[in-house]
Amino acid sequence: MSTGKLYVVGVGPGHHDHMTFRAKEVIEQSQIIVGYDTYVTLVEDLIEGKEVFRYPMTQEVDRANQAIQFAEDGKIVSLVSSGDPGIYGMVGLIYEILAEKGWTKNHGIEVECVPGVSSLNSCSALIGSPLMTDFAVVSMSDLLVPWEIIVKRVEAAALGDFVTVVYNPSSKKRIHQLKDARDIFLRHRSPNTPVAIIKGAFRESQSIVITDLERMLDYPDLMGMITTIIIGNSSSYNYNDLMINPRGYRSKYQLVK
């Protein structure tokens, strides 16, 4: 069995005060750091003196393979991922590659997924209590998933009255997707349905707007790959610049005593 170890580390949400103790610990233990440049920058002060390999966006397969190779060579490696490596993160790709290589837990490198604070958690904490009941999460990125499939998922979330978290709402090349998704929601929900737009949660670039379904496209400057949108359901409401999604206690209890 290889003596190397690969940590797939969630460094989210992006501020050290909210990074998990385990994430900091394994980064400190690692000899080599591999990751997308933006995520490596988030932990810059934790990786001084280590070998660091930065990658641009869209080179996920290359950096995953390099991290695996370093671990197979006996190194202790941290592959830094975004908020949580198991939610649109790198751990899925790592296991896909290892499965193709015939890796097993007993005869291969040791792999540990170190969970982080996902975008849906960090963003919801900033804007009230939007995820108190069942919710769906959908990415607008159609680089790896056909747009026709994403449309079906958006339609199902809208029809099912799920609070819906939208990841990767737009990019320079992805223009129509968010508008199409908004139009689907408008077929099933009121134009006044609360919507929160959160850019760069817990980072220096943090910016938050509470709006509604009718006006959610009025903020193009906030849209991008580090933006998350939360669309309320039929019970959600805005109060003092917060989005509240009732859990259902009012139907059983007197709330104010």
Side-chain angles (χ1 to χ4, degrees):
M1 181 173 178
S2 170
T3 57
K5 181 159 185 176
L6 175 56
Y7 296 109
V8 189
V9 188
V11 300
H15 191 285
H16 286 185
D17 289 350
H18 295 274
M19 190 183 300
T20 69
F21 175 83
R22 182 61 176 161
K24 294 179 182 179
E25 184 179 53
V26 301
I27 288 173
E28 182 178 333
Q29 292 173 0
S30 297
Q31 301 162 291
I32 297 175
I33 308 296
V34 180
Y36 170 45
D37 183 65
T38 297
Y39 303 146
V40 172
T41 299
L42 290 175
V43 295
E44 198 128 44
D45 59 328
L46 302 177
I47 58 177
E48 188 175 344
K50 302 181 185 295
E51 282 190 84
V52 180
F53 295 85
R54 300 171 180 262
Y55 281 84
M57 191 176 288
T58 74
Q59 292 190 8
E60 292 89 351
V61 174
D62 290 340
R63 64 180 185 258
N65 273 290
Q66 184 175 49
I68 289 169
Q69 184 61 60
F70 282 137
E72 289 177 338
D73 290 341
K75 302 293 186 181
I76 300 175
V77 186
S78 275
L79 175 61
V80 296
S81 189
S82 55
D84 187 295
I87 300 180
Y88 298 112
M90 291 293 291
V91 75
L93 178 56
I94 289 294
Y95 282 127
E96 284 185 68
I97 293 171
L98 289 174
E100 289 205 15
K101 290 164 69 80
W103 167 90
T104 67
K105 290 183 178 180
N106 295 327
H107 298 89
I109 60 171
E110 186 178 353
V111 179
E112 180 182 335
C113 177
V114 182
V117 181
S118 68
S119 179
L120 64 91
N121 279 308
S122 56
C123 290
S124 64
L126 289 169
I127 55 103
S129 57
L131 306 182
M132 286 293 104
T133 57
D134 297 339
F135 61 91
V137 187
V138 184
S139 170
M140 292 294 101
S141 176
D142 55 359
L143 284 174
L144 303 175
V145 179
W147 178 242
E148 295 77 18
I149 298 297
I150 296 173
V151 167
K152 290 181 180 180
R153 293 172 179 174
V154 171
E155 183 79 37
L159 186 62
D161 199 31
F162 286 98
V163 174
T164 305
V165 182
V166 179
Y167 277 52
N168 307 317
S170 66
S171 67
K172 292 179 180 178
K173 295 181 180 179
R174 203 170 346 102
I175 307 299
H176 71 88
Q177 284 85 343
L178 185 60
K179 180 183 182 302
D180 292 353
R182 195 279 303 259
D183 291 343
I184 292 171
F185 275 99
L186 281 173
R187 293 203 294 267
H188 300 281
R189 300 197 191 165
S190 164
N192 297 323
T193 300
V195 171
I197 303 170
I198 307 99
K199 178 180 180 181
F202 290 98
R203 303 180 189 179
E204 291 184 3
S205 60
Q206 177 178 300
S207 185
I208 299 171
V209 166
I210 303 293
T211 182
D212 55 34
L213 202 53
E214 181 72 30
R215 295 175 290 179
M216 67 176 280
L217 300 179
D218 293 350
Y219 304 91
D221 292 345
L222 292 181
M223 303 303 178
M225 295 301 289
I226 62 170
T227 299
T228 300
I229 297 174
I230 300 179
I231 301 172
N233 66 10
S234 59
S235 299
S236 303
Y237 63 94
N238 290 338
Y239 177 77
N240 280 1
D241 292 326
L242 297 172
M243 184 193 294
I244 298 175
N245 188 248
R247 183 72 180 92
Y249 293 104
R250 182 184 295 274
S251 64
K252 291 184 176 293
Y253 305 99
Q254 179 182 340
L255 298 188
V256 180
K257 296 182 178 182

